[in-house]
Amino acid sequence: MTNQMKALSKLHPREGLWMVDAPVPEVGPDDVLIKINKTGICGTDIHIWNWDDWAAATVPVPMITGHEFAGEIVELGRNVTDLEIGQRCSGEGHLIGKTSRQSRAGKFHLDPATRGIGVNEQGAFAQYLRLPAFNVVPLPDDIPDEIGAILDPLGNAVHTALSFDLIGEDVLITGAGPIGIMAAAVARHVGARHVVITDVNPDRLALAQQVTDVVAVNVAQEDLGKIVSDLGMKQGFDIGLEMSGNQQALDQMVEAMTMGGRIAMLGIPPGKSPVDWSRIVFKAITIKGVYGREIFETWYKMIAMLQNGLDVSRVITHQFPVDRYAEGFAEMKSGRSGKVVLDWT
């Protein structure tokens, strides 16, 4: 194997990514080396491409970006005994510490020392990725690489959607981006009654209806209250999944919830946002913040659901060879696409 590889790197503190030749990572005793087959472009990658305030304050330069991937193991560290050369895999992109109370209690997703590949550590937009063996998630044969490459964001959707019991419940999802759409598919798969997804982007709403059985509402043109009435709902939504990061969407969700409703928030509003806490208190609403995936419970659940009929394949709207990565980023930034996958093979 050559000691050089192609990679997409944030070389300069300005807009864009650059294709570079980089050294193939050396594995430590507890690591594996993964040959990357496919990667997904994430909203985080768009922030890094754009070099917005968050990226400038968070990401060191130079940095190989990317954290959604599928590939196969080509090298094992000397202490790794439970994985095999040639094994197909994806992996958890959050690198955790082992000394915090949360980690020692097995609540790995809450570890305050978490670092992210492609953000704080060299990432997966490359021909090879070094990853701790602990973070590797083997891929069953019936899950193709392009789905393996989007398990990270699907995991966000699963973690958010399964925050509360959805069986027989009426669910409102604000934000019809890929994660919101996948959360709608999960909600339908596990037995929600009505699933309504809102946005102002007609392309994304149309995609949501292609992916799963969902009521798509353009809140710039339609009255959400009328939709609630048309569906025969008496008091409002039982569960809210906030995926948009839009304050107006959250306000609208709060108003649409039933007394005692529960909201899981994955979307991140920019900066500080005014909140009418009195409405939340008087409606006795529970709000849960969601970050990443539950390590590794979310992975087990989403793989099991994929093997049991959950189909999110249509959320992937574009695939490009990695040499055309700029086109992939342009599609993601256009707001017209679902997930965009880059092929490294």
Side-chain angles (χ1 to χ4, degrees):
M1 184 176 70
T2 178
N3 61 357
Q4 290 289 112
M5 66 178 184
K6 290 197 302 185
L8 290 178
S9 180
K10 192 70 179 184
L11 285 182
H12 311 289
R14 62 175 189 264
E15 184 177 4
L17 292 176
W18 291 266
M19 184 70 78
V20 300
D21 289 323
V24 173
E26 295 184 6
V27 300
D30 300 308
D31 300 330
V32 301
L33 188 67
I34 299 167
K35 181 180 181 293
I36 298 296
N37 291 333
K38 296 195 175 182
T39 55
I41 300 177
C42 170
T44 300
D45 302 319
I46 298 299
H47 287 292
I48 296 172
W49 176 283
N50 291 339
W51 203 240
D52 60 15
D53 290 343
W54 171 84
T58 307
V59 180
V61 174
M63 172 64 67
I64 296 172
T65 59
H67 57 274
E68 301 178 4
F69 68 92
E72 60 186 81
I73 297 170
V74 293
E75 185 178 344
L76 302 172
R78 65 175 181 271
N79 295 339
V80 180
T81 58
D82 57 342
L83 297 169
E84 299 177 357
I85 299 291
Q87 192 167 16
R88 295 175 60 248
C89 67
S90 183
E92 172 57 57
H94 285 166
L95 309 179
I96 62 167
K98 302 294 177 63
T99 60
S100 71
R101 174 180 176 176
Q102 293 91 327
S103 282
R104 288 168 64 84
K107 300 174 182 177
F108 302 124
H109 66 292
L110 300 179
D111 177 55
T114 296
R115 296 171 63 77
I117 66 168
V119 176
N120 314 110
E121 304 283 347
Q122 300 300 324
F125 283 164
Q127 290 177 297
Y128 296 94
L129 170 70
R130 176 182 62 210
L131 192 70
F134 175 82
N135 287 62
V136 171
V137 176
L139 279 182
D141 290 341
D142 53 359
I143 295 181
D145 281 343
E146 59 267 24
I147 298 298
I150 64 166
L151 288 182
D152 176 296
L154 176 58
N156 291 337
V158 169
H159 185 187
T160 309
L162 300 188
S163 292
F164 305 111
D165 181 7
L166 299 181
I167 298 173
E169 302 285 41
D170 296 323
V171 180
L172 174 62
I173 300 172
T174 45
I179 295 178
I181 293 172
M182 289 191 287
V186 171
R188 294 297 297 162
H189 184 76
V190 302
R193 182 173 69 160
H194 298 304
V195 179
V196 175
I197 191 166
T198 65
D199 208 298
V200 295
N201 183 327
D203 295 319
R204 289 278 173 82
L205 291 168
L207 178 61
Q209 291 178 306
Q210 293 171 29
V211 172
T212 190
D213 177 18
V214 65
V215 178
V217 179
N218 187 330
V219 289
Q221 301 172 356
E222 301 174 79
D223 179 5
L224 182 59
K226 184 178 185 304
I227 300 296
V228 169
S229 176
D230 290 346
L231 291 173
M233 295 163 53
K234 302 300 185 185
Q235 297 185 30
F237 292 94
D238 306 294
I239 306 293
L241 308 178
E242 206 306 288
M243 306 294 206
S244 70
N246 181 287
Q247 183 61 46
Q248 288 180 306
L250 176 60
D251 292 342
Q252 188 175 58
M253 175 175 280
V254 169
E255 292 306 313
M257 299 300 290
T258 189
M259 286 287 295
R262 293 156 292 170
I263 296 174
M265 286 187 65
L266 183 74
I268 304 171
K272 296 181 179 180
S273 303
V275 177
D276 186 351
W277 289 107
S278 65
R279 296 297 294 152
I280 293 168
V281 171
F282 288 133
K283 294 188 81 170
I285 289 173
T286 298
I287 298 181
K288 174 187 175 182
V290 178
Y291 174 62
R293 296 145 299 281
E294 289 189 343
I295 308 172
F296 285 91
E297 184 65 12
T298 297
W299 289 88
Y300 292 124
K301 285 187 180 297
M302 66 177 159
I303 288 173
M305 285 190 288
L306 287 168
Q307 293 182 308
N308 190 36
L310 176 66
D311 183 4
V312 294
S313 59
R314 283 173 289 189
V315 83
I316 301 173
T317 56
H318 297 79
Q319 295 197 55
F320 294 96
V322 70
D323 291 341
R324 294 169 57 192
Y325 71 92
E327 294 177 60
F329 274 85
E331 285 293 344
M332 278 290 288
K333 291 174 66 175
S334 75
R336 296 184 300 268
S337 72
K339 288 299 295 181
V340 176
V341 170
L342 301 177
D343 188 335
W344 291 80
T345 59

